Amino acid sequence: MEISNQSTVTEFVLLGLSAHPKLEKTFFVLILSMYLVILLGNGVLILVTILDSHLHTPMYFFLGNLSFPDICYTTSSVPLILDSFLTPRKTISFSGCAVQMFLSFAMGATECVLLGMMAFDRYVAICNPLRYPVVMSKAAYVPMAISSWVAGGANSLVQISLAVQLPFCGDNVINHFICEILAVLKLACADISINVISMGVANVIFLGVPVLFIFVSYMFILTTILRIPSAEGRRKAFSTCSAHLTVVIIFYGTILFMYGKPKSKDPLGADKHDLADKLISLFYGLLTPMLNTIIYSLRNKDVKTAVRDLASHRCRTQ
């Protein structure tokens, strides 16, 4: 990725909580705690899905793939945010900003596609259980996961390549904790219409299409579950997809809340509104990965059993 020679800005200043220094220590502890939970929880999920042979199934393969972008996404930004709470100068280099935006875009798009893939997995498991071993064979689900990563990376490469070619010749202050692409584009001293159109198309592909696919999949799943005669059978069928459905609702629900809420028209409350927007964006990036691991570990008997077996095995070997 090559940065345009027209750019005269070599670094950006991230405002973060500069206007609210008393909050920095409190948020340092809170964000660090959430980050450690994300690293530990998702790391354990990846580990058990690799080491436990009972979890070598399409659903847990996708789950391991879902945990990895959560770790990458938060690691691309949280250490910098924590450092900014401890140091007076809150800067990031131009290239560092580009890398952060690339990882953020790539991991977010990959996760969207993976959630759609997981919905298809649940659809086949519940609606066509006899064909499940054939349809969701290793020859099918591994390329599905790889295509998710390739699509997410390619989309991010396009968006960030367009962004870094813009000339940044004036203000270099980003009113955010991280290099959020919309905040960065506002600083460009050139027309950003192509960037906006490109991002709009990407949002339709990576947000709209997976949401539609998930919605249709769960309509078929719900119809199939309601046809099961016994209440116990319906409960068992629904329990196999309840964790995924919960994660989908949290993931897309927070996105809708972030970008769908009305903007404040009170100029006197602009500062508080900007602070609220930044904090909502920050905690969306932390809360979703943290809840993913909690939902899939606490509400999944197979994962809890695998973790206990792994822990007991380590105790016996020591």
Side-chain angles (χ1 to χ4, degrees):
M1 188 182 299
E2 186 177 339
I3 298 173
S4 172
N5 292 329
Q6 295 179 8
S7 299
T8 57
V9 172
T10 58
E11 65 179 14
F12 292 104
V13 178
L14 301 169
L15 288 183
L17 289 175
S18 300
H20 308 273
K22 293 182 180 179
L23 297 176
E24 291 187 331
K25 291 183 179 179
T26 301
F27 279 101
F28 177 88
V29 175
L30 180 60
I31 292 170
L32 177 61
S33 301
M34 295 176 72
Y35 181 52
L36 292 176
V37 171
I38 291 168
L39 290 181
L40 179 62
N42 285 287
V44 168
L45 279 176
I46 294 172
L47 193 63
V48 296
T49 56
I50 294 173
L51 298 180
D52 195 310
S53 59
H54 296 96
L55 301 183
H56 291 176
T57 64
M59 183 177 74
Y60 293 110
F61 178 77
F62 285 129
L63 176 57
N65 275 268
L66 192 68
S67 296
F68 189 69
D70 282 343
I71 292 176
C72 293
Y73 177 81
T74 52
T75 301
S76 70
S77 58
V78 171
L80 180 67
I81 294 171
L82 293 175
D83 180 67
S84 71
F85 289 155
L86 301 176
T87 56
R89 184 159 177 78
K90 310 172 192 301
T91 60
I92 183 172
S93 67
F94 193 96
S95 57
C97 186
V99 170
Q100 190 178 85
M101 289 191 295
F102 174 81
L103 289 173
S104 176
F105 250 97
M107 297 305 107
T110 300
E111 188 157 346
C112 288
V113 179
L114 282 172
L115 287 172
M117 300 288 189
M118 294 174 77
F120 177 73
D121 173 73
R122 292 299 83 206
Y123 160 74
V124 178
I126 293 174
C127 300
N128 296 282
L130 297 179
R131 290 180 51 80
Y132 184 76
V134 177
V135 176
M136 295 303 296
S137 64
K138 190 172 184 179
Y141 67 75
V142 171
M144 288 169 66
I146 293 173
S147 66
S148 300
W149 286 95
V150 171
N155 170 61
S156 183
L157 188 61
V158 170
Q159 304 303 330
I160 306 310
S161 295
L162 290 173
V164 298
Q165 290 177 36
L166 293 169
F168 295 88
C169 48
D171 191 9
N172 70 333
V173 178
I174 300 174
N175 188 19
H176 213 288
F177 294 96
I178 60 174
C179 285
E180 201 271 334
I181 191 165
L182 293 177
V184 172
L185 290 178
K186 290 179 181 178
L187 303 180
C189 38
D191 183 30
I192 60 171
S193 300
I194 298 297
N195 302 77
V196 173
I197 293 171
S198 177
M199 288 176 60
V201 172
N203 286 339
V204 171
I205 296 173
F206 289 94
L207 286 174
V209 173
V211 166
L212 180 62
F213 188 79
I214 292 168
F215 177 77
V216 172
S217 296
Y218 272 100
M219 287 297 99
F220 282 111
I221 289 171
L222 182 60
T223 301
T224 302
I225 290 176
L226 292 177
R227 289 175 181 169
I228 299 175
S230 67
E232 181 65 17
R234 290 194 296 270
R235 187 192 66 79
K236 286 183 178 179
F238 184 74
S239 66
T240 63
C241 57
S242 60
H244 173 258
L245 185 59
T246 304
V247 168
V248 167
I249 292 172
I250 292 172
F251 183 81
Y252 287 105
T254 48
I255 290 177
L256 289 174
F257 175 76
M258 279 174 56
Y259 296 104
K261 67 184 190 311
K263 299 293 183 181
S264 174
K265 295 182 180 180
D266 180 12
L268 298 177
D271 182 59
K272 291 182 179 179
H273 183 70
D274 285 344
L275 176 61
D277 281 348
K278 288 190 289 185
L279 291 176
I280 289 170
S281 177
L282 171 63
F283 283 102
Y284 161 72
L286 291 169
L287 196 61
T288 304
M290 186 179 74
L291 290 179
N292 284 356
T293 183
I294 293 173
I295 291 167
Y296 275 109
S297 58
L298 296 183
R299 298 190 60 179
N300 192 297
K301 292 181 181 179
D302 293 336
V303 172
K304 287 191 287 187
T305 301
V307 172
R308 284 198 298 267
D309 291 345
L310 182 63
S312 61
H313 176 72
R314 290 195 62 185
C315 290
R316 287 195 299 268
T317 55
Q318 288 179 352

